Amino acid sequence: MVTPRISYAHLLAKPNPKHVESLLKFFENGRSQRGTGGFGVEIEHLPVHNSDDTAVSYYEPNGIEALLKRLAPYYDEEKEYWENGHLVGLSRSGVAVSLEPGGQVETSIGILKKPSDLNTLYSKFRRELDPILDDLDFRLVNYGYQPKSSFADVPVNPKDRYDAMTDYLGRVGQFGPCMMRCSASTQVSIDYVDERDSIEKLRLGTVIGPILAYFFRNTPYFEGETNPWPLLRQRMWDYLDFQRTNVLPGLFDPRYGWEDYAIDVLSTPLMFADLTHTPEAVASGASPKELHRPAFRENAGEVYPDRELNPYEINHIISTHFNDVRLKNFIELRHWDSLPIERAERLTEIVSSLFYVPEHRERLESYFEGISEEEVFEAKANIQAHGREASPYGQPLDSWKEFLGLEGLLSDIPGDLKHPDVFQE
């Protein structure tokens, strides 16, 4: 008798064993001795013109490129990131500023010892940023999607990766250009102490993420109209490109481990190959466009040499996956719309309580023991179909609010101070 597989993804793909071993070492090196704290928070902001709330592009006069150049003196010059002659990223200790495809300004903050540290670092970022924004006559909005502009009106910024993603995601699934150019999120990262701890946290994050996403929903608009979906961000990602999004295949099989995760990400076509830190490719004299090139069909084993992968290559491979919860050398929870800083801090407090307080985590694990992948899919669909009347996992949302300790959600704080009465229904 043949033992059933953990998943039936990528049946004919054969990842390089040396690459699999590289990822296992990468995950092992990510282990934290704490396991009781440590956060990273990423908040993406939508740039909009003060005059009419339309999207600000990278290339326009007084646009996103001008913002980065004006902001650069506050950051480390040696940590600037340029591509194709354009400034696209800044960094210093504790804070990095990068761009999503449509010019969304992402602030990555961490590692934080406690949730309240978030506001301290973010406030400094805003004190430097806001006078520049006022001078450029645009602002940053915390919604899950652009309030006025369509994806068709927003050009991608000058990264080769985003040109390839536009070509690929514009031809598969649904919402690819919408997600890339007009959406914005909040992501919270937590640590793990070993393989078992990381898998348990991946499962819990996947299970409760859609419920938390509903209570922190923040997308009043889609393509210039009222947003029709209770969870637009989930709707876009779930239907984008199933081989690299949604629930990790096989995650709820009791045999699932780091090797299964490694095989999955190594088997998926890369979409975009980054060989800028692959010594063999650089030494070959390859042109910049050959080092940054589309890889719509090739997976990691067909792009990278037959050897152990270096950390840059590993991070790039993992970055081409967009599952609900992502494993790097930390765990990244990816469910949530862009939130104003007060709500992002409250969300981080809730994540801390659920994952780092032993009695809370044990209660969750006991409740969801034996849950299946199909039940998670059903819960997500239930929320999308029924909104506030939904009963994910058979319980109404009010019961989940109490069970998860979702008090003080600060849902009266607007995502755009210019429109303080605008909220997602």
Side-chain angles (χ1 to χ4, degrees), residues 212 215-216 342-343 345-347 349-350 353-354 397-411:
L212 291 178
F215 286 104
F216 283 93
E342 299 90 346
R343 299 195 74 196
E345 183 177 328
R346 180 63 185 130
L347 173 62
E349 291 172 349
I350 290 169
S353 174
L354 296 175
L397 288 168
D398 284 344
S399 295
W400 285 116
K401 187 175 183 179
E402 180 179 357
F403 184 78
L404 297 174
L406 305 183
E407 302 299 331
L409 300 180
L410 306 177
S411 55

Side-chain angles (χ1 to χ4, degrees), residues 24 43 63 79 98 154 203 289 318 324 350 386 393 400:
L24 296 182
I43 303 175
K79 294 181 180 178
S98 58
V154 180
R203 288 175 179 147
K289 291 297 183 183
I318 292 174
D324 293 347
I350 290 169
H386 302 292
Y393 309 112
W400 285 116

Side-chain angles (χ1 to χ4, degrees), residues 143-325:
Y143 290 151
Y145 202 87
Q146 277 283 355
K148 288 288 184 68
S149 297
S150 164
F151 76 90
D153 301 321
V154 180
V156 296
N157 75 52
K159 286 188 177 182
D160 296 328
R161 174 188 176 110
Y162 295 151
D163 287 338
M165 288 176 65
T166 296
D167 191 3
Y168 179 80
L169 294 176
R171 299 166 184 255
V172 300
Q174 300 178 16
F175 301 108
C178 300
M179 177 281 297
M180 289 180 61
R181 303 178 189 195
C182 292
S183 71
S185 72
T186 300
Q187 300 171 26
V188 179
S189 297
I190 57 178
D191 64 6
Y192 58 87
V193 298
D194 55 28
E195 181 175 14
R196 177 180 176 183
D197 181 52
S198 70
I199 300 304
E200 289 173 348
K201 286 174 176 172
L202 286 171
R203 288 175 179 147
L204 278 182
T206 300
V207 169
I208 67 174
I211 299 172
L212 291 178
Y214 181 81
F215 286 104
F216 283 93
R217 65 195 184 280
N218 193 34
T219 306
Y221 302 106
F222 175 69
E223 288 292 288
E225 303 290 340
T226 299
N227 167 30
W229 289 286
L231 297 178
L232 175 62
R233 176 173 170 79
Q234 176 186 292
R235 174 69 181 182
M236 287 193 296
W237 283 107
D238 284 359
Y239 290 82
L240 187 74
D241 182 15
F242 203 85
Q243 64 183 331
R244 70 184 78 244
T245 62
N246 215 305
V247 178
L248 288 164
L251 176 62
F252 294 95
D253 188 298
R255 298 168 293 170
Y256 189 88
W258 283 346
E259 184 172 354
D260 301 291
Y261 187 94
I263 289 172
D264 180 37
V265 298
L266 290 167
S267 298
T268 307
L270 283 175
M271 185 167 52
F272 177 72
D274 184 344
L275 296 162
T276 58
H277 290 68
T278 299
E280 297 88 338
V282 174
S284 73
S287 68
K289 291 297 183 183
E290 290 170 325
L291 297 176
H292 269 176
R293 64 176 178 82
F296 296 160
R297 183 184 181 278
E298 303 160 281
N299 64 25
E302 296 162 325
V303 168
Y304 291 106
D306 180 26
R307 55 156 171 78
E308 287 197 8
L309 298 167
N310 62 47
Y312 186 94
E313 294 165 338
I314 292 171
N315 276 304
H316 172 70
I317 293 164
I318 292 174
S319 77
T320 64
H321 268 242
F322 312 105
N323 300 99
D324 293 347
V325 183

Side-chain angles (χ1 to χ4, degrees), residues 369-412:
E369 184 177 4
I371 196 169
S372 69
E373 183 177 291
E374 287 72 23
E375 289 173 286
V376 177
F377 288 141
E378 191 281 332
K380 295 170 76 171
N382 191 287
I383 296 174
Q384 292 286 33
H386 302 292
R388 69 184 62 199
E389 303 302 321
S391 294
Y393 309 112
Q395 298 295 327
L397 288 168
D398 284 344
S399 295
W400 285 116
K401 187 175 183 179
E402 180 179 357
F403 184 78
L404 297 174
L406 305 183
E407 302 299 331
L409 300 180
L410 306 177
S411 55
D412 59 344

Side-chain angles (χ1 to χ4, degrees), residues 310-369:
N310 62 47
Y312 186 94
E313 294 165 338
I314 292 171
N315 276 304
H316 172 70
I317 293 164
I318 292 174
S319 77
T320 64
H321 268 242
F322 312 105
N323 300 99
D324 293 347
V325 183
R326 184 158 61 182
L327 178 63
K328 297 183 178 179
N329 49 359
F330 51 84
I331 294 168
E332 185 180 74
L333 309 169
R334 299 172 38 80
H335 289 89
W336 304 297
D337 294 332
S338 176
L339 298 169
I341 186 60
E342 299 90 346
R343 299 195 74 196
E345 183 177 328
R346 180 63 185 130
L347 173 62
T348 307
E349 291 172 349
I350 290 169
V351 169
S352 175
S353 174
L354 296 175
F355 285 88
Y356 287 148
V357 176
E359 56 266 33
H360 294 173
R361 179 174 163 186
E362 290 165 8
R363 182 167 173 248
L364 279 174
E365 289 177 344
S366 175
Y367 187 90
F368 289 113
E369 184 177 4

